[in-house]
Amino acid sequence: VKRLFSSERFTVERLAKIGELLGYTLAELLQTAASSVPELDTLTNAQEAQLVSDEKLLMVTVLALNHWSVVDMVNWYHISAAEVVKRLRILDRMGVIELLPGDRIRRRARRDFDWLPNGPIKAYFAKQGVSDFLKGPFDDAEESMDFSHAMLTKTAQAELKAELRRLRRKLASLHEESVPATLRDKRGIGLLLAMRRWEPAAFMRLRRNTPEGNSSQHNAGNNG
């Protein structure tokens, strides 16, 4: 591409050919170049509530954000093409995706798109997904589950939280690298990141009812 630009031989015909290989018409490329619509980084509380009110809509949303096509969704799940497209139109109106001719999907969500911190989506997955995720045996060679406990200062906790954010960005980067691979060469991966002040209930029952026993500085199991 650099050589083509430097030689000034990047013709409209060549641009159209590249667009065809990528699945875009020349008109769509021009529309994208002229578009001033900002990418979406989050939804409103009402929009998230709409997603969790319809499990098929929620599923189509997650799959669309993970670069699935309509054909992929229909082939892998008990859902018709008409049902998928109906829900893709809702996502189009929300600005999450752009539904292109031929029912092709263009994501409008930013790479770091996220659900609201205390919104309906995270509440849904906390209630429905976490218990389902944790009941797995985690004994496959590709799986892992570790739990660690430590007592940290506020500065150390802030550093650990920053590391968790970096790990999440790494997961997003690996996801983008895996997009070109076929569905049969990929697996859905769940990564649970959690940190909170915590003391085992069994320890709490043994606490002395004294200022020292109730102090976070003297609590042997307070941070986890």
Side-chain angles (χ1 to χ4, degrees):
V1 171
K2 182 179 179 181
R3 191 162 55 248
L4 286 169
F5 278 125
S6 63
S7 64
E8 298 183 355
R9 291 185 290 107
F10 205 94
T11 64
V12 174
E13 290 76 13
R14 188 179 292 275
L15 180 61
K17 184 64 176 178
I18 292 175
E20 181 183 346
L21 291 172
L22 295 173
Y24 294 100
T25 66
L26 186 57
E28 290 167 352
L29 289 174
L30 293 173
Q31 181 184 13
T32 300
S35 175
S36 60
V37 179
E39 290 184 314
L40 196 68
D41 55 7
T42 189
L43 295 176
T44 66
N45 194 82
Q47 287 173 326
E48 286 199 0
Q50 182 179 3
L51 295 184
V52 298
S53 69
D54 177 356
E55 288 193 342
K56 286 187 176 180
L57 175 59
L58 180 59
M59 181 183 75
V60 169
T61 303
V62 172
L63 296 180
L65 290 175
N66 281 281
H67 303 279
W68 286 50
S69 69
V70 173
V71 173
D72 291 332
M73 297 181 201
V74 171
N75 286 343
W76 284 70
Y77 294 98
H78 291 292
I79 188 170
S80 69
E83 289 178 303
V84 172
V85 172
K86 175 183 176 181
R87 288 160 176 83
L88 288 176
R89 290 196 181 105
I90 295 174
L91 299 179
D92 184 278
R93 291 194 292 272
M94 287 183 179
V96 177
I97 61 124
E98 182 180 356
L99 189 56
L100 301 172
D103 296 334
R104 288 179 294 120
I105 303 166
R106 179 189 296 160
R107 286 180 30 154
R108 280 211 176 275
R110 292 167 56 93
R111 183 176 178 178
D112 57 352
F113 174 87
D114 198 8
W115 308 116
L116 295 172
N118 298 303
I121 295 290
K122 289 198 173 180
Y124 174 88
F125 281 109
K127 181 179 179 181
Q128 307 282 348
V130 173
S131 59
D132 180 60
F133 178 80
L134 291 176
K135 71 182 180 184
F138 295 94
D139 56 1
D140 190 274
E142 298 176 345
E143 298 177 343
S144 174
M145 182 178 182
D146 299 289
F147 175 78
S148 298
H149 179 270
M151 292 191 68
L152 304 178
T153 64
K154 288 186 177 181
T155 300
Q157 289 180 61
E159 184 177 343
L160 180 59
K161 194 171 183 179
E163 286 294 330
L164 294 178
R165 285 195 297 268
R166 279 192 283 271
L167 180 57
R168 186 175 177 184
R169 288 196 296 269
K170 179 63 175 180
L171 176 64
S173 175
L174 293 172
H175 168 75
E176 292 298 325
E177 290 178 18
S178 301
V179 167
T182 65
L183 285 179
R184 295 191 180 278
D185 292 329
K186 296 185 286 190
R187 299 291 183 272
I189 298 298
L191 178 66
L192 178 63
L193 304 174
M195 182 180 76
R196 72 177 180 91
R197 295 182 61 177
W198 176 76
E199 178 181 6
F203 290 13
M204 291 185 69
R205 289 194 294 269
L206 294 174
R207 267 202 209 177
R208 294 184 183 277
N209 189 22
T210 64
E212 290 79 9
N214 292 324
S215 169
S216 61
Q217 294 182 352
H218 296 277
N219 178 4
N222 199 26
N223 293 308

